[in-house]
Amino acid sequence: MSNRLIIFRCFFVTMPSCSLSEALEIRYVEDIDANPIEPCEIFLVGSFPGRSSPSGRLVLPRTLTLNCCNIDRAGVLRKIDELCHDVEELDLAQNSLNDLNEIDNILQHMPNLSFLNLSYNDMKNAITEKLTERENLRSLVLNCTYIPWSIVCNFLDAMPNLQELHLSLNDYSYVDLPSNKQYKNLKQLYICGNSLSSWNDVILIGKTFPNLESLIMANTQIPSIPEPSTWENLFQRLQTINFNYMLLSDWKDIDRLNHFKKLEDIRLQGIPILDSLSELERRQHLIAYLPSVIRLNGSAILQKEREDAERAFIRYFLSEQERPKRFYELEEIHGKLDPLVDVDLSPKKTAQVFVHFCEEQSTLTVNLQQSVQELKATLSDKFGLRPAKMRLFYIDQDMKDVCGPDELRYNNRKLYSYQIRDGDEFLVDSK
């Protein structure tokens, strides 16, 4: 269930509360009763609506989505067991579930469930309860539930094979996981949009989830990364990091990211240290500082880009009094480089040209940023010939003996695209 993008959008309508079994009856059973079908062979793919099996038993899809139904309890357990025995993914986002006993009742009667989404169920007042162990659960989404850490631990204890956990937008100001317990099967943690402000929270995450491979931790208040000696041995398998909009303001913080030994994919957008750089310089500096990373902000880093970025990094600091340690490391690789010659490669803005109309010849300074249509308007004022009745030809002084005049047929084309230079000519003719 990795790389699942979870988005919630629904219209809030005041609805009476109901149980899961009632919501299932309304969503699926009443549809079948109203539209009975003849016995036939049915193949269910994805989350198609429920259908009757040849025996007359209702068969629900393996993926159930029941958002915004105001579900607050399990309901008739026999009905859940009958309808949901084969369900593998259950999305109950934006309901009213906050009682762990009711959630446990639901889980007990879905033995094949591997994915559960409880986002936007307000669970801040949930009471700690021991949950029945569910070995099949692999992915749990608890975004914007305000769920206490003690309840998070209840879920972790009951789901020993959990691999993916979402805890974003829960208004956490700190991580409160037990320091003496580890959950070794968790590989992906999403904990974005919380007011975490200390790297100690990252350290505790590393201690609790020692086999973490992906840490998505954007939009936090963490201001810096301390010396790696206190944490580098905690993340032996971490490959992917998202630290977007973390408050990192020193390049030493970026350099310390290299102590995530397996790191190869990172997102670092919106951090203060990048504010003074252009978009290209931001990417080049990050590539230069992170030699083991092969993917930055969602884009692969090819070998040619890395070499160019590292050379650009060296040249960036050639005129600086203070140079980072990374400058000298890259100079050992690429040698001492000369500054690039500052050559203006931008197109010329104007040109002095000759204009011929009938027997008349004149000299004109043309703005090469304007279009053919705009030049025709200028010539119309000069020669009294409406643009709609005008044909305009361009004569390249070096090519006129080879190919002659070139009619400018495309009114929106910019003049600089014709490589016009001083001394070239225009021929004006009437249609």
Side-chain angles (χ1 to χ4, degrees):
M1 213 60 58
S2 59
N3 300 321
R4 175 186 294 272
L5 179 62
I6 299 171
I7 300 175
F8 310 100
R9 183 178 297 143
C10 73
F11 298 99
F12 289 93
V13 180
T14 302
M15 297 175 59
S17 63
C18 71
S19 67
L20 175 61
S21 62
E22 289 170 336
L24 291 170
E25 291 272 354
I26 293 169
R27 176 75 178 272
Y28 296 103
V29 178
E30 290 184 2
D31 284 349
I32 295 297
D33 292 342
N35 302 285
I37 60 174
E38 295 299 323
C40 60
E41 187 174 7
I42 295 172
F43 297 91
L44 292 173
V45 180
S47 56
F48 280 85
R51 293 289 184 267
S52 293
S53 71
S55 65
R57 175 176 170 268
L58 179 64
V59 179
L60 293 189
R62 296 184 186 276
T63 299
L64 286 184
T65 301
L66 292 165
N67 300 154
C68 306
C69 297
N70 208 15
I71 297 169
D72 65 355
R73 59 195 184 279
V76 181
L77 302 182
R78 176 182 53 80
K79 181 63 69 175
I80 297 174
D81 189 58
E82 175 187 329
L83 296 176
C84 302
H85 184 275
D86 297 326
V87 170
E88 296 176 358
E89 300 186 13
L90 178 62
D91 185 348
L92 293 176
Q94 290 179 307
N95 282 290
S96 301
L97 288 163
N98 55 28
D99 187 329
L100 257 61
N101 284 323
E102 295 297 332
I103 295 171
D104 194 40
N105 283 335
I106 292 171
L107 298 181
Q108 285 187 59
H109 292 83
M110 294 188 180
N112 293 300
L113 199 65
S114 63
F115 171 87
L116 175 63
N117 182 8
L118 294 173
S119 295
Y120 293 87
N121 287 270
D122 189 346
M123 302 176 69
K124 61 176 173 288
N125 296 319
I127 298 173
T128 301
E129 299 282 353
K130 182 176 175 59
L131 298 171
T132 306
E133 187 169 297
R134 308 306 314 168
E135 293 189 355
N136 287 340
L137 253 297
R138 297 292 187 271
S139 301
L140 177 63
V141 188
L142 298 169
N143 293 334
C144 206
T145 56
Y146 310 107
I147 184 169
W149 283 106
S150 59
I151 309 298
V152 173
C153 291
N154 285 154
F155 279 111
L156 288 169
D157 290 338
M159 301 172 182
N161 296 316
L162 196 69
Q163 297 181 2
E164 177 183 350
L165 177 61
H166 295 251
L167 294 172
S168 296
L169 302 172
N170 278 331
D171 203 24
Y172 294 142
S173 57
Y174 59 90
V175 173
D176 189 13
L177 291 166
S179 58
N180 61 345
K181 185 177 290 188
Q182 291 185 325
Y183 301 96
K184 296 184 178 181
N185 286 322
L186 197 79
K187 296 180 179 179
Q188 300 176 53
L189 177 63
Y190 298 75
I191 187 167
C192 303
N194 292 292
S195 300
L196 305 177
S197 58
S198 172
W199 190 258
N200 289 332
D201 294 319
V202 179
I203 291 175
L204 186 51
I205 287 171
K207 289 179 178 179
T208 309
F209 308 117
N211 295 319
L212 206 62
E213 295 177 2
S214 177
L215 177 59
I216 311 303
M217 201 174 186
N219 296 87
T220 67
Q221 305 297 314
I222 296 174
S224 61
I225 299 175
E227 285 292 334
S229 58
T230 60
W231 55 266
E232 62 181 338
N233 292 325
L234 299 175
F235 297 92
Q236 295 297 315
R237 299 189 179 184
L238 193 65
Q239 300 173 18
T240 301
I241 284 176
N242 184 336
F243 283 169
N244 284 349
Y245 301 99
M246 192 175 276
L247 302 181
L248 304 178
S249 56
D250 194 315
W251 284 106
K252 290 180 181 178
D253 297 323
I254 308 302
D255 189 40
R256 287 168 182 166
L257 293 173
N258 289 306
H259 290 266
F260 290 107
K261 296 179 175 62
K262 294 290 182 69
L263 182 63
E264 58 183 35
D265 185 350
I266 191 167
R267 289 180 183 266
L268 281 172
Q269 294 176 306
I271 58 176
I273 191 62
L274 302 177
D275 287 348
S276 63
L277 302 174
S278 68
E279 185 174 346
L280 177 60
E281 288 171 337
R282 293 173 187 178
R283 185 169 176 86
Q284 288 176 334
H285 276 49
L286 290 173
I287 291 173
Y289 264 106
L290 300 168
S292 298
V293 169
I294 60 175
R295 193 170 186 84
L296 174 63
N297 294 333
S299 299
I301 303 171
L302 303 180
Q303 183 58 39
K304 177 69 164 58
E305 183 185 16
R306 174 166 292 284
E307 184 174 334
D308 290 346
E310 291 175 351
R311 287 176 174 272
F313 182 85
I314 293 172
R315 290 191 170 101
Y316 182 91
F317 284 99
L318 283 176
S319 59
E320 299 291 324
Q321 292 285 340
E322 294 186 14
R323 296 168 179 172
K325 180 184 69 171
R326 186 62 178 154
F327 171 88
Y328 298 102
E329 292 173 351
L330 291 175
E331 203 171 51
E332 285 291 318
I333 297 172
H334 299 287
K336 294 186 179 296
L337 304 180
D338 295 325
L340 291 176
V341 178
D342 188 11
V343 179
D344 184 7
L345 298 177
S346 59
K348 285 190 64 177
K349 294 183 178 179
T350 61
Q352 289 282 120
V353 299
F354 298 105
V355 180
H356 305 273
F357 178 62
C358 296
E359 300 299 322
E360 182 180 347
Q361 176 179 305
S362 57
T363 303
L364 181 67
T365 300
V366 297
N367 178 2
L368 298 179
Q369 302 298 316
Q370 67 183 356
S371 66
V372 171
Q373 182 67 35
E374 290 169 327
L375 177 58
K376 285 182 177 180
T378 300
L379 297 174
S380 174
D381 294 337
K382 184 177 181 64
F383 298 118
L385 184 64
R386 289 170 47 208
K389 297 293 184 180
M390 182 186 300
R391 297 179 69 190
L392 183 61
F393 297 86
Y394 164 59
I395 304 172
D396 185 323
Q397 58 186 311
D398 294 331
M399 300 295 293
K400 61 183 179 181
D401 294 334
V402 177
C403 54
D406 179 18
E407 184 171 3
L408 306 187
R409 300 175 182 272
Y410 304 104
N411 286 331
N412 292 325
R413 185 170 172 179
K414 298 294 185 181
L415 295 180
Y416 67 75
S417 67
Y418 291 95
Q419 307 296 321
I420 296 170
R421 296 167 296 156
D422 293 339
D424 286 348
E425 303 172 56
F426 286 99
L427 175 62
V428 179
D429 194 12
S430 59
K431 292 184 179 178

